[in-house]
Amino acid sequence: MSADRRPGGPPTGGGRPRPGGGRPGGPRGDRPAGPRGQRSGGPRGDRPAGPRGDRPPGPRRPSAVDDRAGVARRAAHQVVLRVLRDGAFADRALHGAAEGLPPRERAQAKRLAFGAIQRRLTLDHVLGRHVDRQLDLEVRAALHIGLYELLFSDGTPSRAAVAAAVELAKPNQGFRLVNAVLRRVIDEDATTEGRPRLPADDTPEGAAIRHSHPLWLVRRWWEWLGPNQTRALLAAGNRPVELVLRVNALKAPLDDPEIPGEPFDDELPEARRITGGLDVLGHPGWRAGRFVAMSRGSMHASRAVDPQPGERVLDLCAAPGGKTTHLAALMGGEGSILALERHRGRARALARTCERVGATNVEVRGEDALEAQLDAGSFDRVLLDAPCSGLGTLASHPDLRWRIKEPDLAEVARLQARLLEVARRAVRPGGRIVYSVCTLNPGEERLGTADGATIRRLWPHKDRTEGFYVATLDLP
Ligand SMILES: C[S@@+](CC[C@H](N)C(=O)[O-])C[C@H]1O[C@@H](n2cnc3c(N)ncnc32)[C@H](O)[C@@H]1O
């Protein structure tokens, strides 16, 4: 197998995949508003709010009743193509492509699209054994989906997966190549006991291909955590993430029987785990603000602030506001929260969220925290949920691993250091600062034990939630 990596770099107009081409990653600091599709974006921080205006027409839906690809695969193909071709954010592309699909088809589209995007490096590695010419992107996207189904998705008969991928590639004449390649893969696997021939993960190079993560990142984790932890972390990056709701105590009792899911975490009585899927945004309880979707990692960060009713709290990097509104609920709506958000559109969306969930003690300001006029020493507690590389959220953001580039890490670390200075100035003597990042990168860890802080790390492979670093510092 060839092992060449082609990160986010689609060939255009036919051609062997080539590197480059993805949307440049800047410091990440944002989650798109909305649940668990929520946490996307290139390095977190720089995405506009709301669905993109440049949404392409939805997936091609042939009029033929007997469409062997099916609407879910067509939507998935559209998503994969948009990520390859335009550097689109996968969750937003899905939002457009799967619009109007019934929940089951939507879930299937998401599973296929996100799986094919996450596994891109592995899939291109397998493809490299059978294709030695440039591919049009719609053909490459069809191959990715077909291969993903063959190699990683149980339940679809091989012949059906091949036939569907061939349909996806049409009318491009490359559909014949799709057929030939996928059949060769099936024949090859027949000689390897039904398993794709992939490199062992006993070196960073092999692990990068086998677990489909960029080599620079695997090398970093390998050096930091050692081979075993790294392999476990990489595997977790390809597993579906748990869907967790936070019951909003401002609007509903914790045992509200109309809120779906089961309590499951003694440390987080407000958390409910959903099994079997849920259309969160379509649920009347979500519209009424009785619950929000939020990862447990994120809940731990806001809980570390431990805000008390009546206190004055500063949330320096607030949108989309999972933590802001959690803080408001923990305060029982009493006291005040000043929520700053540099991105104006996201600040407006946060203000709407506060209204929906009844967080009336939050003042949202669309301001850059580095320039905001804040009275020194005037806040009891400050949360700095900083823009970060988001490497703890790779499972929920399939395109992020290809989007983020190693030089982004230093850039975002500099911003974090500057924001922390703002937090230090704003907090009163005897107050508390919580610094959190949803990443797994020592270079973005601030306020260590040497500063007197208490550290909590959450790991996708151990804690089954997003990776987080949460540092809590009580000032003298
Ligand atoms: C990690 S996200 C925050 C997530 C949020 N705390 C939550 O729980 O939903 C970081 C946010 O900080 C914002 N941001 C980045 N730099 C900023 C700055 N200098 N001042 C204010 N906000 C900033 C980004 O736009 C992004 O929305």
Side-chain angles (χ1 to χ4, degrees), residues 141-383:
L143 276 166
H144 280 178
I145 289 176
L147 260 185
Y148 178 75
E149 286 207 83
L150 287 181
L151 303 182
F152 298 107
S153 175
D154 293 335
T156 309
S158 304
R159 276 181 19 189
V162 175
V166 167
E167 290 304 311
L168 291 178
K170 288 177 182 174
N172 189 303
Q173 290 306 302
F175 76 85
R176 293 193 178 83
L177 180 116
V178 172
N179 188 39
V181 168
L182 294 181
R183 284 179 187 286
R184 258 182 261 149
V185 170
I186 294 172
D187 291 346
E188 174 187 80
D189 290 347
T191 63
T192 54
E193 296 169 354
R195 298 153 76 93
R197 261 194 297 133
L198 294 176
D201 56 5
D202 52 3
T203 62
E205 290 74 16
I209 293 169
R210 193 175 188 91
H211 299 286
S212 195
H213 281 65
L215 181 55
W216 67 262
L217 175 59
V218 178
R219 284 193 173 128
R220 278 177 167 258
W221 281 350
W222 203 271
E223 195 176 313
W224 179 36
L225 305 167
N228 290 339
Q229 295 277 345
T230 301
R231 281 190 286 262
L233 191 51
L234 295 173
N238 294 327
R239 272 199 292 269
V241 283
E242 64 177 13
L243 174 56
V244 179
L245 306 183
R246 173 172 64 76
V247 179
N248 175 23
L250 293 170
K251 289 232 174 171
L254 287 187
D255 60 355
D256 187 334
E258 287 174 20
I259 297 179
E262 300 296 328
F264 68 110
D265 186 327
D266 292 343
E267 277 189 84
L268 299 170
E270 63 275 58
R272 293 195 183 194
R273 179 155 45 204
I274 300 294
T275 44
L278 176 73
D279 175 10
V280 174
L281 302 188
H283 194 285
W286 181 86
R287 287 197 293 269
R290 297 161 79 85
F291 66 80
V292 300
M294 188 169 174
S295 79
R296 285 185 296 136
S298 194
M299 286 186 223
H300 280 298
S302 33
R303 272 206 166 254
V305 179
D306 193 24
Q308 302 301 308
E311 285 187 331
R312 188 155 190 250
V313 176
L314 174 63
D315 185 353
L316 278 172
C317 293
K323 296 180 195 68
T324 317
T325 53
H326 194 194
L327 295 173
L330 293 170
M331 295 165 79
E334 289 173 30
S336 67
I337 300 173
L338 175 58
L340 300 183
E341 168 54 49
R342 180 180 65 178
H343 193 289
R344 294 274 164 85
R346 293 168 64 76
R348 284 193 294 275
L350 170 56
R352 289 194 295 275
T353 298
C354 288
E355 201 170 317
R356 181 171 53 79
V357 304
T360 51
N361 63 335
V362 178
E363 179 194 350
V364 180
R365 281 199 215 152
E367 277 179 35
D368 189 323
L370 296 173
E371 291 161 13
Q373 299 292 319
L374 301 167
D375 290 336
S378 66
F379 292 90
D380 298 298
R381 293 167 201 261
V382 178
L383 170 62

Side-chain angles (χ1 to χ4, degrees), residues 56 94 132 171 181 335 358 410 424:
L94 178 74
D132 61 359
V181 168
R424 283 186 180 278

Side-chain angles (χ1 to χ4, degrees), residues 37 60 82 103 122 157 203 398 405:
R60 185 168 55 90
R82 287 215 59 218
T122 312
T203 62
K405 305 290 178 240

